[in-house]
């Protein structure tokens, strides 16, 4: 089993944060991180589950993504 957790700020983004943001899709980055954490030789991740949670702090509200799945090697039978 592999697991990743990603934090995404979902409250109002200030001007400074907007100017310094990378412009990338944080949801896609989370999926890519899950795929990248699979061991060498695995060519699929099965049973992927996504759980979410939100937390409010002084510096904003954040969405937490929790991905978990099982890396496997799928082979075609002749």
């Amino acid at each position: 089993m592999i697991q990743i957790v990603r934090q995404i700020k979902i409250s109002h983004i200030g001007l400074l944060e907007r100017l310094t943001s990378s412009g990338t899709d944080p949801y896609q980055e989370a999926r890519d991180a899950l795929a990248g954490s699979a061991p060498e030789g695995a060519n699929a991740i099965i049973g992927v589950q996504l759980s979410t949670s939100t937390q409010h702090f002084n510096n904003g509200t954040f969405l937490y993504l929790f991905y978990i799945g099982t890396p496997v090697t799928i082979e075609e039978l002749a």
Side-chain angles (χ1 to χ4, degrees):
M1 305 274 294
I2 54 176
Q3 172 182 312
I4 62 133
V5 179
R6 287 295 182 265
Q7 172 185 332
I8 301 169
K9 187 170 186 179
I10 58 174
S11 61
H12 179 68
I13 297 175
L15 177 61
L16 181 59
E17 290 173 289
R18 194 171 303 135
L19 292 173
T20 59
S21 73
S22 62
T24 59
D25 179 359
Y27 304 99
Q28 183 62 48
E29 286 180 352
R31 291 186 297 271
D32 292 344
L34 182 68
S37 66
E40 188 174 328
N43 60 8
I45 300 174
I46 61 172
V48 174
Q49 295 181 356
L50 169 64
S51 296
T52 61
S53 177
T54 57
Q55 294 291 318
H56 180 72
F57 300 101
N58 289 338
N59 62 337
T61 302
F62 294 85
L63 171 67
Y64 290 86
L65 303 174
F66 303 88
Y67 279 101
I68 189 166
T70 304
V72 297
T73 301
I74 298 176
E75 296 179 5
E76 184 177 332
L77 296 176

